[in-house]
Amino acid sequence: DQQVKQNSPSLSVQEGRISILNCDYTNSMFDYFLWYKKYPAEGPTFLISISSIKDKNEDGRFTVFLNKSAKHLSLHIVPSQPGDSAVYFCAASPDYTGTASKLTFGTGTRLQVTL
Amino acid sequence: GAVVSQHPSWVICKSGTSVKIECRSLDFQATTMFWYRQFPKQSLMLMATSNEGSKATYEQGVEKDKFLINHASLTLSTLTVTSAHPEDSSFYICSAKSGWGQGYGYTFGSGTRLTVV
């Protein structure tokens, strides 16, 4: 039962354009959402997060949008750069305060930014 | 920020032997650590939650006797893959929650690539 899904396994975007990565979830208990960037044979690197009390969070070139009623979130990268090429995972947690709160990861989207 | 150190970064072992992977929180105490496994081109799947001073909590389908987890101190958790087989070859990642810092305090190790031959 995949509670967090990223329906696009790959995405190719031209440098300078916007990259939009999507993520859907089914568990209504999830209240905190995170996006990670990952290279092969490395641990995930945190990008940006959002809690369910917000519908948008922005940090530099990265913006995350949350539509709680649709159980959908998206990550926008503007402008896209070649260094953004990596696999992106969304993750969700029901409770960020507890140290035992575990993350559920999506299936990942491989982003390739072309010149 | 919070740092989690994972060692070794890669290991090759023979079938039937055991391999130990260490995960250390360097600048915070972690009563709970998480162990993930990632197959090529797939998601990070949570294997178990490691609790300091008590037994680990395993996710459904994960063999407790094959993947031994020990969390003997507030800064160290170990994952031992016992009687390793080629199908255990994978990328293993640990994580801990510091309770502070970016991303709600979730911090990941750099991962261990295990190859069983």
Side-chain angles (χ1 to χ4, degrees), chain A residues 32-34 36 38 41-44 46 49-51 89 93 95-103 105-107, chain B residues 31-32 34 36 38 41-46 49 59 91 93 97-99 102-104 106 108-111 113:
Chain A
Y32 300 91
F33 305 89
L34 306 89
Y36 290 90
K38 188 180 181 302
E42 293 185 13
F46 169 75
S49 61
I50 190 168
S51 71
F89 288 96
S93 171
D95 169 22
Y96 87 95
T97 58
T99 55
S101 302
K102 54 188 181 182
L103 287 176
F105 280 85
T107 46
Chain B
T31 55
T32 303
F34 306 94
Y36 294 85
Q38 185 188 25
K41 298 184 179 181
Q42 293 190 26
S43 183
L44 282 73
M45 301 303 296
L46 181 66
T49 301
E59 296 297 303
F91 190 64
I93 308 172
K97 201 167 181 295
S98 65
Q102 291 186 314
Y104 307 118
Y106 289 102
F108 288 83
S110 55
R113 176 157 306 284

Side-chain angles (χ1 to χ4, degrees), chain A residues 16-30:
Chain A
R17 300 286 183 99
I18 183 172
S19 294
I20 300 177
L21 296 93
N22 295 302
C23 179
D24 297 291
Y25 63 97
T26 58
N27 190 338
S28 58
M29 298 300 291
F30 289 146

Side-chain angles (χ1 to χ4, degrees), chain A residues 21-111:
Chain A
L21 296 93
N22 295 302
C23 179
D24 297 291
Y25 63 97
T26 58
N27 190 338
S28 58
M29 298 300 291
F30 289 146
D31 272 340
Y32 300 91
F33 305 89
L34 306 89
W35 282 95
Y36 290 90
K37 178 180 180 181
K38 188 180 181 302
Y39 294 110
E42 293 185 13
T45 301
F46 169 75
L47 285 175
I48 193 169
S49 61
I50 190 168
S51 71
S52 60
I53 62 172
K54 293 185 176 182
D55 54 17
K56 177 182 176 181
N57 188 25
E58 191 172 354
D59 184 1
R61 297 187 298 115
F62 303 95
T63 303
V64 56
F65 295 91
L66 175 63
N67 183 332
K68 195 174 180 183
S69 61
K71 294 188 175 67
H72 176 83
L73 62 155
S74 61
L75 173 67
H76 292 209
I77 306 174
V78 183
S80 300
Q81 299 174 353
D84 295 330
S85 298
V87 178
Y88 290 77
F89 288 96
C90 64
S93 171
D95 169 22
Y96 87 95
T97 58
T99 55
S101 302
K102 54 188 181 182
L103 287 176
T104 300
F105 280 85
T107 46
T109 296
R110 180 175 301 276
L111 172 66

Side-chain angles (χ1 to χ4, degrees), chain B residues 37-106:
Chain B
R37 181 177 183 176
Q38 185 188 25
F39 289 106
K41 298 184 179 181
Q42 293 190 26
S43 183
L44 282 73
M45 301 303 296
L46 181 66
M47 298 174 65
T49 301
S50 170
N51 305 299
E52 187 269 334
S54 65
K55 292 183 179 179
T57 304
Y58 290 82
E59 296 297 303
Q60 192 173 12
V62 177
E63 297 178 62
K64 302 178 183 182
D65 295 331
K66 166 163 273 300
F67 300 101
L68 298 179
I69 290 173
N70 183 280
H71 196 153
S73 78
L74 286 170
T75 59
L76 174 64
S77 175
T78 61
L79 168 67
T80 301
V81 182
T82 63
S83 187
H85 290 281
E87 56 264 32
D88 298 325
S89 298
S90 189
F91 190 64
Y92 295 87
I93 308 172
C94 69
S95 172
K97 201 167 181 295
S98 65
W100 50 274
Q102 291 186 314
Y104 307 118
Y106 289 102

